[in-house]
Amino acid sequence: LNRGEEAVEPLREAWEILRRELGDGHPASLGAQQNLSFILQAVGRHDESIGLGRTALAALIERCGEGSLPVADALIRLSASYYEEAEALSLRAKAVLERLEPRGFNMSTCLNNLGRIAEERGEAGVGCELHRKAVEIRRELCGDGPETAFCLGNLALLAAGRPDEAAVALEEALHCYALAGRTTGSAVEGLRHNLELCRRNGTGRSFRPGV
């Protein structure tokens, strides 16, 4: 419900119960620990979030092995909090996923995150290619839904220097949100604003649903 501060203590209590009943290294305990880490990051408590994420990752590596899917998932989660190591963590996750689940949802998330990192470095070409691959996987798994729209929006932002490609990605993202009944809100309005900017730059292409 977007009330992160209220969620922190119930999640912490749930984690403590699981640790007491099942043990620190049980998958359910480690899952709760990672959920708590995620919420702490969302409310700005980054150091605490990183600490919990790192200990959960270490426990999963010991329990499941470095090259396992649970570890790949933990690496992706930790990368969201640990900005200084985000690329290294994401690349470790990507290496595992390429071997075990190359067309899974986590791979699309990993590619999306690496695309954002490339964007911040000014590597637009590299970033766009990563986002295109993320969109492709999301579309396979989620169809024309909000999860695909999210990746399309990121692709559009990075493709801003190519108004035609950006406009098509933005139109596709708006179409995906509309199919899910989301026609208002900050995300949708932001996409519409960016689409208008692309159109002002003279793009002549357009997206046609179902084609």
Side-chain angles (χ1 to χ4, degrees), residues 160-180:
R162 295 181 293 282
D164 281 351
E165 180 177 8
V168 170
L170 288 164
E171 289 177 337
E172 288 181 323
L174 286 167
H175 174 68
C176 290
Y177 277 131
L179 288 176

Side-chain angles (χ1 to χ4, degrees), residues 110-122:
C110 194
L111 292 169
N112 181 78
N113 293 346
L114 287 167
R116 295 292 296 272
I117 292 167
E119 175 186 354
E120 291 174 5
R121 272 207 301 255

Side-chain angles (χ1 to χ4, degrees), residues 10-199:
L11 274 171
R12 192 185 302 278
E13 184 177 355
W15 177 44
E16 293 296 342
I17 292 170
L18 288 164
R19 293 171 71 193
R20 184 171 63 249
E21 297 296 325
L22 303 175
D24 286 344
H26 191 279
S29 302
L30 294 171
Q33 184 175 346
Q34 290 178 89
N35 289 341
L36 177 58
S37 172
F38 175 81
I39 290 295
L40 289 168
Q41 189 274 333
V43 299
R45 294 161 65 173
H46 302 297
D47 290 345
E48 191 176 357
S49 172
I50 290 169
L52 286 174
R54 291 179 71 175
T55 56
L57 173 62
L60 281 165
I61 290 173
E62 182 177 352
R63 182 182 183 91
C64 305
E66 173 76 31
S68 64
L69 289 176
V71 166
D73 182 61
L75 287 164
I76 292 170
R77 292 194 193 203
L78 180 57
S79 72
S81 302
Y82 201 177
Y83 179 77
E84 292 80 1
E85 297 292 331
E87 184 174 30
L89 292 165
S90 297
L91 288 172
R92 282 172 64 187
K94 182 172 177 284
V96 175
L97 294 169
E98 283 175 338
R99 183 170 56 85
L100 298 178
E101 200 172 68
R103 306 297 290 185
F105 190 88
N106 268 346
M107 177 60 91
S108 68
T109 300
C110 194
L111 292 169
N112 181 78
N113 293 346
L114 287 167
R116 295 292 296 272
I117 292 167
E119 175 186 354
E120 291 174 5
R121 272 207 301 255
E123 299 174 353
V126 173
C128 277
E129 185 58 30
L130 289 164
H131 283 310
R132 289 186 196 105
K133 290 177 180 177
V135 168
E136 181 182 313
I137 294 172
R138 286 279 172 97
R139 187 166 271 139
E140 284 180 9
L141 297 174
C142 306
D144 289 335
E147 296 287 0
T148 301
F150 177 80
C151 284
L152 283 163
N154 284 331
L155 171 60
L157 286 173
L158 198 49
R162 295 181 293 282
D164 281 351
E165 180 177 8
V168 170
L170 288 164
E171 289 177 337
E172 288 181 323
L174 286 167
H175 174 68
C176 290
Y177 277 131
L179 288 176
R182 293 175 58 178
T183 56
T184 59
S186 58
V188 171
E189 294 306 320
L191 292 171
R192 286 183 180 138
H193 174 72
N194 290 338
L195 178 57
E196 180 59 29
L197 292 178
C198 286
R199 286 172 172 165

